[in-house]
């Protein structure tokens, strides 16, 4: 019997004979799951490859505080809320296969959720079963010990940072995966963007109500918990259809979608060989990671708590980071050391050369004390003495030491002055535009997104996510520290790799390595500079967030330049 026929036969039976229902977890006939077919990851032979159940499953928990908020009074008379522990009061598990919702199981206790997942795994024919949670890090806190009782401790876990698992695999074959890192948006918005049948039932659940694990739910409350996981499996299904993926090949993260395309396109243009001509050594790489910063998010420091009566308007850059990838020049060769320099030395060469360096300054202060947006970031400083801060940005300091690019230096020099300074540990490289095969892909992705706008909502949502994820591919750390969870205490700790040089060498020599990390470093630096140039067009700059500026009394003529 051909594999395709088995799939069609299974799909036909489930669609024709398994009408969807929501049912209490203990009452459902789990043997229905024996009709699900199995899949194998692509590759040669099946002897050493486990089978995966061709089914979409999403689970979710709802929690309640044990009692109302309590407060303690400080010496100055202010009241501070005392944290209140939460507990699970409801859960759902939705199962979907072959574009058909099969069931939503529901219950009240985390121990029952663990038991329901165990029954699902026992009745499915394959060895491995993927169960999605939208924001796994939250639900994991409440269910982990109950899963340990049944399945033992996980055999594998990958975390992006402490307490943020991407996946958790148990020896029984169940793999918990986070769908939030794939969707890059809340479930409510994801369901709206993908235009699935079941949207999040906003307003049907009172989060302020104190609940226990024995109370009865209203029809609205059952609808609320049902729609959470139904929307999830429908969104994943729509994503898989549009990408042409199945449960074995669906990317873990949003950046997995463009990463595959970048590798394919890069191989056609000998991208790895070109990558080798400019990839930095390990010491340079570690310093470049110190240079990297995220988007600029800040509010006018003179307007905190004010009620603004003027008409606030916002201007932003359409796809700011993709624009920076196509419009500006980047380091195009290996970095080489340069002598210690001044601000003027570096800025004079910044049109033709890229620089990164450790900037050391004394007597830092704002050039214009009335400027509302200080650019210098305290958290990125290697050393900072006696700073005056505005929500994480430095207004003045006796001493600062921070890693910068020439683009960062341009902005900081424009708005800050120093009694003395030096740019040391300077590294420089000639600048050119990014490879044409890559910028063509960026432009194609942006064009596709624009053409799909107002059309197929699923295709548009995925195209938009692909454009937004292009930047993420350029700033993937070559060597990550391992984040380890202590399953006995629940604590997470970072374990630094002992063989960093070996791991970095493997990254450099991997044929799939085609874009050096420093591209992402300069993308955010260019976007940082662009944002401040846009902010200057506002008579009053109220707020900014990475690629947008909110303000009033705009200079419309200057914006159009």
């Amino acid at each position: 019997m051909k594999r395709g026929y088995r799939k069609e036969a299974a799909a036909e039976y489930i669609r024709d004979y398994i009408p969807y229902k929501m049912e209490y977890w203990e009452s459902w006939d789990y043997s229905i799951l024996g009709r699900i077919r199995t899949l194998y990851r692509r590759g040669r032979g099946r002897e050493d490859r486990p089978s995966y159940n061709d089914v979409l499953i999403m689970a979710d928990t709802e929690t309640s505080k044990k009692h109302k908020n309590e407060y303690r009074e400080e010496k100055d008379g202010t009241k501070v809320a005392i944290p209140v522990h939460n507990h699970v009061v409801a859960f759902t598990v939705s199962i979907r296969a072959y574009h058909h919702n099969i069931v939503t199981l529901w219950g009240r206790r985390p121990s029952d959720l663990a038991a329901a997942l165990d029954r699902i795994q026992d009745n499915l024919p394959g060895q491995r079963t993927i169960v999605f949670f939208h924001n796994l890090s939250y639900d994991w806190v409440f269910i982990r010990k109950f899963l340990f009782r049944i399945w033992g401790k996980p055999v594998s876990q990958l975390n992006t940072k402490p307490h943020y698992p991407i996946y958790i695999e148990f020896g029984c074959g169940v793999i918990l995966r986070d769908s939030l890192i794939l969707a890059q948006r809340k479930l409510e918005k994801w369901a709206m963007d993908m235009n699935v049948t079941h949207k999040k039932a906003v307003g049907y659940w009172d989060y302020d109500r104190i609940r226990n694990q024995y109370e009865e739910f209203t029809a609205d409350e059952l609808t609320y918990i049902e729609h959470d996981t139904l929307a999830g499996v429908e969104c994943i299904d729509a994503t898989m259809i549009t990408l042409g993926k199945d449960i074995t090949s669906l990317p873990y993260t949003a950046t997995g979608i463009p990463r595959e395309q970048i590798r394919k396109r890069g191989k056609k243009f000998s991208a790895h060989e070109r990558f080798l001509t400019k990839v930095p050594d390990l010491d340079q790489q570690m310093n470049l990671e110190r240079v990297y910063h995220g988007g600029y998010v800040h509010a006018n420091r003179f307007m905190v708590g004010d009620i603004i009566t003027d008409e606030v308007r916002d201007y932003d850059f359409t796809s700011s980071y993709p624009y920076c990838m196509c419009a500006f020049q980047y380091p195009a060769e290996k970095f080489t050391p340069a002598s210690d320099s001044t601000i003027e030395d570096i800025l004079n060469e910044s049109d033709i050369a890229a620089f990164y360096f450790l900037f050391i300054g004394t007597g830092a202060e704002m050039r214009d004390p009335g400027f509302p947006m200080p650019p210098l970031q305290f958290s990125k400083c290697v050393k900072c003495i006696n700073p005056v801060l505005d929500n994480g940005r430095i207004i003045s300091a006796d001493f600062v030491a921070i890693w910068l690019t020439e683009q960062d230096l341009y902005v900081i020099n424009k708005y800050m002055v120093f009694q003395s300074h030096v740019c040391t540990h300077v590294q420089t490289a000639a600048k050119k535009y990014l490879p044409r095969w890559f910028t063509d892909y960026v432009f194609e992705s942006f064009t596709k997104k624009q053409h799909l706008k107002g059309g197929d909502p699923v295709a548009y949502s995925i195209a938009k996510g692909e454009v937004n994820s292009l930047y993420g591919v350029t700033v993937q750390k070559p060597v990550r520290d391992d984040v380890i969870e202590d399953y006995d205490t629940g604590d997470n700790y970072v374990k630094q790799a002992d063989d960093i040089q070996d791991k970095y060498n493997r990254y450099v020599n991997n044929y799939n390595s085609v874009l050096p990390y420093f591209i992402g470093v300069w993308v955010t630096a260019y976007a940082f500079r662009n944002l401040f140039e846009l902010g200057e067009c506002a008579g009053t700059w109220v707020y900014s967030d990475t690629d947008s500026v909110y303000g009033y009394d705009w200079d419309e003529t200057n914006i159009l330049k």
Side-chain angles (χ1 to χ4, degrees), residues 423-528:
C423 301
T424 186
H425 296 79
V426 181
Q427 297 278 323
T428 185
K431 285 199 290 194
K432 293 182 181 179
Y433 291 104
L434 292 177
R436 185 62 180 266
W437 66 264
F438 177 66
T439 56
D440 281 351
Y441 173 50
V442 175
F443 188 74
E444 286 171 22
S445 299
F446 173 77
T447 304
K448 180 171 69 173
K449 183 200 79 168
Q450 294 300 99
H451 286 168
L452 288 169
K453 195 170 185 177
D456 181 348
V458 176
Y460 172 72
S461 177
I462 291 175
K464 182 179 179 181
E466 184 175 359
V467 172
N468 293 340
S469 299
L470 283 166
Y471 156 74
V473 179
T474 68
V475 72
Q476 298 287 306
K477 286 187 178 180
V479 180
R480 292 176 176 269
D481 294 328
D482 290 330
V483 179
I484 309 297
E485 177 177 344
D486 185 324
Y487 295 125
D488 293 322
T489 65
D491 294 332
N492 280 223
Y493 62 93
V494 177
K495 180 183 177 183
Q496 293 185 339
D498 297 327
D499 53 348
I500 296 178
Q501 185 66 64
D502 288 343
K503 288 185 175 180
Y504 189 71
N505 289 344
R506 287 199 292 272
Y507 154 77
V508 169
N509 295 320
N510 188 330
Y511 200 70
N512 287 323
S513 297
V514 294
L515 295 174
Y517 170 89
F518 59 66
I519 293 174
V521 175
W522 263 262
V523 167
T524 55
Y526 280 124
F528 176 58

Side-chain angles (χ1 to χ4, degrees), residues 229-393:
T229 47
L230 275 183
V233 291
E234 290 173 1
C235 284
I236 295 170
D237 196 11
T239 300
M240 285 169 45
I241 292 169
T242 304
L243 294 178
K245 301 293 184 181
D246 60 35
I247 197 67
T248 70
S249 58
L250 184 68
Y252 281 100
T253 68
T255 56
I257 298 170
R259 186 184 297 116
E260 182 178 339
Q261 273 293 316
I262 287 170
R263 287 173 176 172
K264 287 180 180 178
R265 291 172 181 241
K267 286 179 180 180
K268 295 179 181 179
F269 293 90
S270 302
H272 179 66
E273 286 76 8
R274 295 178 183 275
F275 165 86
L276 292 174
T277 66
K278 51 193 172 186
V279 62
D281 63 33
L282 179 58
D283 288 339
Q284 292 172 328
Q285 172 64 33
M286 294 177 71
N287 284 332
L288 284 163
E289 291 178 16
R290 297 182 179 102
V291 174
Y292 170 78
H293 60 78
Y296 185 87
V297 181
H298 207 73
N300 187 314
R301 60 194 172 103
F302 300 114
M303 304 182 76
V304 176
D306 290 355
I307 297 174
I308 301 172
T309 57
D310 296 271
E311 182 185 358
V312 175
R313 288 185 294 158
D314 70 290
Y315 287 90
D316 63 10
F317 296 93
T318 302
S319 297
S320 173
Y321 286 179
Y323 166 73
C324 289
M325 294 177 200
C326 294
F328 299 108
Q329 294 187 332
Y330 293 77
E333 61 184 9
K334 286 185 179 293
F335 283 98
T336 57
S339 59
D340 288 355
S341 305
T342 66
I343 292 174
E344 292 73 20
D345 293 335
I346 289 178
L347 293 182
N348 286 340
E349 300 293 323
S350 63
D351 287 341
I352 59 173
F355 294 88
Y356 77 88
F357 48 89
L358 180 63
F359 177 83
I360 298 173
T362 64
E365 58 185 24
M366 300 295 296
R367 287 187 183 274
D368 176 3
F371 186 70
M373 298 290 182
L376 194 56
Q377 188 173 351
F378 174 73
S379 65
K380 296 298 295 184
C381 287
V382 177
K383 183 80 172 180
C384 187
I385 299 175
N386 294 332
V388 176
L389 301 179
D390 173 48
N391 197 22
R393 299 283 169 171

Side-chain angles (χ1 to χ4, degrees), residues 156-211:
S156 179
Q157 180 171 338
L158 178 64
N159 300 271
T160 56
K161 54 185 176 180
H163 302 287
Y164 279 86
I166 295 176
Y167 75 79
I168 303 168
E169 181 177 353
F170 289 88
C172 67
V174 173
I175 303 170
L176 310 183
R177 276 184 55 174
D178 182 24
S179 55
L180 177 59
I181 200 168
L182 172 64
Q184 291 292 306
R185 68 204 92 170
K186 292 182 178 179
L187 183 61
E188 178 184 354
K189 189 172 190 320
W190 197 22
M192 293 296 292
D193 289 347
M194 303 299 275
N195 196 30
V196 294
T197 302
H198 293 88
K199 310 293 195 300
K200 189 173 175 67
V202 178
Y204 281 31
W205 185 274
D206 183 0
Y207 278 97
D208 293 327
R209 180 177 170 182
I210 305 301
R211 303 174 187 269

Side-chain angles (χ1 to χ4, degrees), residues 91-102:
F91 72 83
T92 51
V93 181
S94 288
I95 304 175
R96 179 180 175 90
Y98 317 119
H99 321 308
H100 173 76
N101 292 328
I102 297 174

Side-chain angles (χ1 to χ4, degrees), residues 23-224:
E23 192 158 336
Y24 188 66
W25 76 275
E26 284 186 306
S27 305
W28 191 58
D29 179 9
Y30 288 79
S31 67
I32 292 169
L33 297 175
R35 293 279 181 174
I36 299 296
R37 73 164 186 156
T38 58
L39 299 174
Y40 294 85
R41 288 187 184 273
R42 294 177 182 176
R44 294 181 180 179
R46 296 184 180 179
E47 294 78 10
D48 299 324
R49 291 184 295 146
S51 59
Y52 285 76
N53 293 301
D54 187 20
V55 63
L56 296 176
I57 303 173
M58 179 169 280
D60 184 44
T61 62
E62 296 298 339
T63 61
S64 170
K65 295 178 181 178
K66 292 186 176 181
H67 54 78
K68 292 184 178 180
N69 287 336
E70 295 179 352
Y71 299 86
R72 69 170 183 270
E73 188 169 326
E74 300 293 297
K75 291 181 180 180
D76 61 1
T78 59
K79 292 184 177 181
V80 178
I82 300 172
V84 178
H85 291 296
N86 282 19
H87 60 284
V88 172
V89 294
F91 72 83
T92 51
V93 181
S94 288
I95 304 175
R96 179 180 175 90
Y98 317 119
H99 321 308
H100 173 76
N101 292 328
I102 297 174
V103 70
T104 295
L105 306 171
W106 71 277
R108 297 182 175 86
R109 298 178 298 181
S111 57
D112 292 341
L113 171 58
L117 294 177
D118 190 48
R119 288 194 190 182
I120 290 170
Q121 174 66 356
D122 283 346
N123 283 271
L124 284 165
Q127 295 167 291
R128 292 187 178 177
T129 304
I130 295 173
V131 179
F132 291 93
F133 286 81
H134 205 69
N135 194 6
L136 174 59
S137 61
Y138 181 82
D139 298 277
W140 177 239
V141 173
F142 298 100
I143 65 174
R144 53 192 299 280
K145 289 188 176 181
F146 299 98
L147 297 178
F148 295 168
R149 291 177 187 175
I150 299 176
W151 298 332
K153 294 174 182 177
V155 296
S156 179
Q157 180 171 338
L158 178 64
N159 300 271
T160 56
K161 54 185 176 180
H163 302 287
Y164 279 86
I166 295 176
Y167 75 79
I168 303 168
E169 181 177 353
F170 289 88
C172 67
V174 173
I175 303 170
L176 310 183
R177 276 184 55 174
D178 182 24
S179 55
L180 177 59
I181 200 168
L182 172 64
Q184 291 292 306
R185 68 204 92 170
K186 292 182 178 179
L187 183 61
E188 178 184 354
K189 189 172 190 320
W190 197 22
M192 293 296 292
D193 289 347
M194 303 299 275
N195 196 30
V196 294
T197 302
H198 293 88
K199 310 293 195 300
K200 189 173 175 67
V202 178
Y204 281 31
W205 185 274
D206 183 0
Y207 278 97
D208 293 327
R209 180 177 170 182
I210 305 301
R211 303 174 187 269
N212 58 49
Q213 294 174 340
Y214 302 98
E215 66 181 64
E216 296 296 323
F217 296 121
T218 66
D220 280 352
E221 289 170 335
L222 287 173
T223 297
Y224 180 87

Side-chain angles (χ1 to χ4, degrees), residues 385-440:
I385 299 175
N386 294 332
V388 176
L389 301 179
D390 173 48
N391 197 22
R393 299 283 169 171
I394 298 172
I395 299 172
S396 65
D398 291 342
F399 178 92
V400 294
I402 186 171
W403 287 91
L404 302 172
T405 70
E406 81 284 353
Q407 300 303 315
D408 302 315
L409 182 65
Y410 175 86
V411 176
I412 290 166
N413 181 62
K414 190 169 186 177
Y415 298 101
M416 301 196 73
V417 65
F418 301 87
Q419 290 178 1
S420 64
H421 77 273
V422 63
C423 301
T424 186
H425 296 79
V426 181
Q427 297 278 323
T428 185
K431 285 199 290 194
K432 293 182 181 179
Y433 291 104
L434 292 177
R436 185 62 180 266
W437 66 264
F438 177 66
T439 56
D440 281 351

